[in-house]
Amino acid sequence: MSGLNADSNANQSDICLELKDVVKQFPGVTAVDHISLEIEEGEIFSFLGPSGCGKSTLLRIVAGLENQDQGDVLIGGKLVNDLPPYKRDCSTVFQSHALFPHMTVFDNIGFGLVERKIPKPEIKQRVQNKINLVNLGGMEDRFPHQLSGGQMQRVALARSLVLEPTVLLLDEPLAALDRKLRKEMQVELKRIQREVGTTFLNVTHDQKEALSLSDRIAVMKKGKLLQIGTPDEIYETPHTRFVASFMGASNIFSGRVVGARDGMLTFKSDVGLQVALPESNDIPADQITGFSVHPELIDLSPEGADTPAACSATDVSLPGTIKEVFYLGDFSEMSVKIDDADINLTVYMTRGWSGPKMKMAEGQRVVALWSAASMNLLVD
Amino acid sequence: MKKKRIASKILWVLSILTLIFLWSPMILVIVYSFSNNKYGSSWEGFTLKWYAKLISNDQVRDALMRSLIVAGVTVVVSTLIGTITAYGLYKLDFKGKQFLRTSILLPIVFPSVVTGSALLVFFTRLVHIPLGYPSIIIAHIVFCSPLAVFIILGRMQRFDWSWEEAALDLGATPARTFLRVTGPQLLPAIMASAMLIFPWSFDDFVITYFVAGVGSTTLPIYVFSQLRFGSTPVINTIGTLFVTTTMLGLFLVHLIQRMHTGNHTRKGTN
């Protein structure tokens, strides 16, 4: 045990949280299924997944509020498996805020410092410092029930940050707020994190929030880690069908590679579509089971119009008919039925679209077009 | 429409009659305790002499002191036991928990005569607890603690337990967490149960009568013994005392609960 500790101290000084093969079973389900990962100092890392995927359980294991059945948790290079929550160098911002209703804002924020027996003048100074950081000046003597949702959120944040934890754990911190406030707090969270430099470990089911807030994202499903990467990696090159669809790539094609020609792979989809996929260094051809295309990467032009200049031999172009149009203001979502195949493409069209100025309506004959580079390979 | 109005009128009249039926004996007792009539059964002008007599009566003062001491000790011990038991019943998982939880109801639903005689046999034949203060106080704790358990358990079920997790997470040990967060949150429920237990213990007659033994006369037992000599105005003053203490307790409970729900509604509107 001590050898392991020394080892991780020596080699990974900038790793502030490490999970090694963590498993947690609840009766009937495996909430966390052999998860290992490393979180670097100073980053905002998000666990992203649908509800019940085990992301909150994982966070509670890090906090010590739940005990793993197997595996190690290291905070700041120190093994904390057997430490109770009050001895771990991390702090949690709860979804319900969990402010103490009988204490003022000041006493709430100072709670942990009192427990650490910090002298009173220092408590006062550190609490005031954090009150300023989260823009709550003048609210010191209010009680939680006198605060709005956003203000309670800020108190909860300050209450944890004042302890200067190695890792700050955020359990769906924005889920309880309304949409406008959520956006505002998202910006605030990022500003505060950049200012204090503390590592944030965030849990969310909202892919937009994860994309805009995080430095890195881990997508989870049924207790398993599916993919870890930066927001653009996760969004643009999801490896699995689940990650692709969870991140909004609604056009997913199943099939297999049947041949190769000129550095391109010939892919035959289950519904009869044949396209040329660019080869990938990461994924062997025989493991490819499909590809996905984001709806905003597909262009529509009216049938019979001149082929756009950018069109090259490897681009995919398919004739079809517009089935449905959902007007959403900033863009329109179209459903296009491809001829002679059981494919309904989802296409986003912005109003600034550069093609022929014409109204796309239901029943319109079109050609759907996307470049070879916009296709992302899937392995399962 | 008209039918409805008649129905509501009838209901109104019935409610008033019920209230009169319930309240008139108590109001009469209070009124006659200030009456000059020497049997305390009709109005013959205002006087405080029965209260003076009450205060100068050594037996009454003795019984009152005894009742207050018993009720005081019972309140403190019962709420303590109630808090610990409720906490254990809510937080711990053990075999037979549901059975224990139900069986705690027994002292409340058992007829007082049964509880009283069972306790008397228990004290005299089995454990040899001297009759008097010890037996009375133990008996009162037996039938009062369940009340505290149920009031405090009820509060715990509406408790946001993430407060407790937050306190642990912020570095408070379980003991400190109870002291600084859980305890203060339970205080309204603990106070409410104390306010209800006090009158329960203070005016219990049946169970106390069984276990009091010779010479340990509480106020209700004294009242009962005096009735053998017919109603006297002093009894009326004691009755007034009972009614006002109980009412005061209920009023305080109401006040505590109002303060509490007040907090919650304000939180809701914000």
Side-chain angles (χ1 to χ4, degrees), chain B residues 145-167:
Chain B
S145 325
L147 192 67
V149 173
F150 277 91
I151 292 171
I152 294 164
L153 205 57
R155 171 89 185 101
M156 282 179 168
Q157 272 152 357
R158 286 177 288 132
F159 205 69
D160 180 1
W161 288 97
S162 64
W163 290 327
E164 204 172 46
E165 288 194 338

Side-chain angles (χ1 to χ4, degrees), chain B residues 243-265:
Chain B
V243 173
T244 43
T245 356
T246 311
M247 293 294 293
L248 203 71
L250 285 176
F251 178 71
L252 282 175
V253 169
H254 180 73
L255 215 67
I256 288 168
Q257 277 173 347
R258 254 239 322 237
M259 259 163 53
H260 202 72
T261 46
N263 276 356
H264 270 274
T265 38

Side-chain angles (χ1 to χ4, degrees), chain A residues 60 63 65 85-86 90-92 94 96 98-103 111-112 114-116 145-146 159 163, chain B residues 160 162-174 176-177 180-182 184-185 263 266-267 270:
Chain A
R60 290 172 61 82
L65 296 168
Y86 49 91
C90 58
S91 189
T92 312
F94 292 84
S96 61
L99 300 182
F100 307 126
H102 58 296
M103 291 186 189
F111 186 94
V114 172
E115 289 307 314
R116 280 164 179 71
H145 64 81
Q146 296 167 314
R159 186 175 67 172
L163 302 174
Chain B
D160 180 1
S162 64
W163 290 327
E164 204 172 46
E165 288 194 338
L168 289 172
D169 188 78
L170 292 167
T173 60
R176 292 281 298 167
T177 298
R180 290 189 71 191
V181 178
T182 317
Q185 288 309 311
N263 276 356
R266 251 179 297 164
K267 191 177 177 180
N270 252 344

Side-chain angles (χ1 to χ4, degrees), chain A residues 266-295:
Chain A
T266 312
F267 178 91
K268 202 165 183 319
S269 98
D270 296 346
V271 288
L273 174 73
Q274 188 158 322
V275 295
L277 292 177
E279 264 185 47
S280 161
N281 295 329
D282 304 333
I283 306 167
D286 57 342
Q287 281 183 20
I288 295 168
T289 63
F291 72 89
S292 65
V293 189
H294 275 287

Side-chain angles (χ1 to χ4, degrees), chain A residues 167-351:
Chain A
V167 193
L168 184 78
L169 309 172
L170 300 125
D171 187 5
E172 305 248 6
L174 308 176
L177 307 177
D178 61 52
R179 225 178 91 182
K180 188 168 160 283
L181 207 55
R182 204 180 309 161
K183 184 79 202 152
E184 200 182 300
M185 275 309 291
Q186 213 166 302
V187 176
E188 272 291 277
L189 267 181
K190 204 153 181 164
R191 171 186 73 80
I192 289 167
Q193 196 273 343
R194 297 301 181 227
E195 215 159 300
V196 296
T198 307
T199 311
F200 278 23
L201 178 53
N202 178 41
V203 155
T204 181
H205 64 267
D206 182 337
Q207 42 116 343
K208 288 231 167 68
E209 180 193 317
L211 288 174
S212 63
L213 194 63
S214 323
D215 295 314
R216 282 201 300 156
I217 298 171
V219 183
M220 288 181 69
K221 183 198 179 189
K222 289 185 180 163
K224 284 196 167 67
L225 259 188
L226 295 184
Q227 193 171 349
I228 302 182
T230 59
D232 54 320
E233 281 168 2
I234 297 281
Y235 184 79
E236 289 166 26
T237 56
H239 293 330
T240 62
R241 205 162 262 112
F242 176 80
V243 178
S245 71
F246 195 70
M247 300 314 292
S250 28
N251 303 307
I252 296 174
F253 299 86
S254 300
R256 63 197 166 84
V257 174
V258 292
R261 194 162 53 94
D262 306 332
M264 299 294 283
L265 303 167
T266 312
F267 178 91
K268 202 165 183 319
S269 98
D270 296 346
V271 288
L273 174 73
Q274 188 158 322
V275 295
L277 292 177
E279 264 185 47
S280 161
N281 295 329
D282 304 333
I283 306 167
D286 57 342
Q287 281 183 20
I288 295 168
T289 63
F291 72 89
S292 65
V293 189
H294 275 287
E296 69 273 19
L297 297 178
I298 301 174
D299 239 358
L300 291 183
S301 51
E303 195 173 47
D306 293 339
T307 315
C311 190
S312 75
T314 57
D315 290 348
V316 178
S317 79
L318 300 167
T321 311
I322 295 179
K323 282 288 170 204
E324 278 168 309
V325 179
F326 301 99
Y327 182 72
L328 298 168
D330 47 356
F331 67 89
S332 295
E333 186 181 324
M334 318 236 176
S335 177
V336 179
K337 166 79 173 67
I338 300 302
D339 296 347
D340 309 323
D342 189 18
I343 300 170
N344 280 301
L345 279 181
T346 303
V347 183
Y348 292 165
M349 297 252 294
T350 58
R351 289 192 297 136

Side-chain angles (χ1 to χ4, degrees), chain B residues 87-227:
Chain B
Y87 195 77
L89 279 177
Y90 191 85
K91 293 288 275 186
L92 303 180
D93 261 320
F94 52 88
K95 229 178 170 174
K97 175 170 150 174
Q98 198 52 48
F99 173 76
L100 189 66
R101 200 168 161 165
T102 315
S103 67
I104 281 176
L105 259 174
L106 287 180
I108 298 180
V109 297
F110 260 30
S112 305
V113 179
V114 177
T115 310
S117 51
L119 281 169
L120 178 64
V121 172
F122 185 70
F123 290 150
T124 53
R125 301 280 163 78
L126 289 168
V127 291
H128 303 292
I129 283 175
L131 298 186
Y133 272 125
S135 63
I136 297 175
I137 288 172
I138 292 173
H140 281 215
I141 290 168
V142 165
F143 72 81
C144 287
S145 325
L147 192 67
V149 173
F150 277 91
I151 292 171
I152 294 164
L153 205 57
R155 171 89 185 101
M156 282 179 168
Q157 272 152 357
R158 286 177 288 132
F159 205 69
D160 180 1
W161 288 97
S162 64
W163 290 327
E164 204 172 46
E165 288 194 338
L168 289 172
D169 188 78
L170 292 167
T173 60
R176 292 281 298 167
T177 298
F178 191 86
L179 201 71
R180 290 189 71 191
V181 178
T182 317
Q185 288 309 311
L186 289 178
L187 207 59
I190 295 172
M191 292 308 283
S193 54
M195 292 304 155
L196 287 177
I197 285 171
F198 189 85
W200 256 39
S201 167
F202 191 71
D203 33 276
D204 176 72
F205 171 74
V206 180
I207 294 172
T208 315
Y209 195 64
F210 273 97
V211 300
V214 183
S216 302
T217 311
T218 61
L219 205 52
I221 295 177
Y222 175 79
V223 172
F224 180 72
S225 67
Q226 288 307 296
L227 287 176

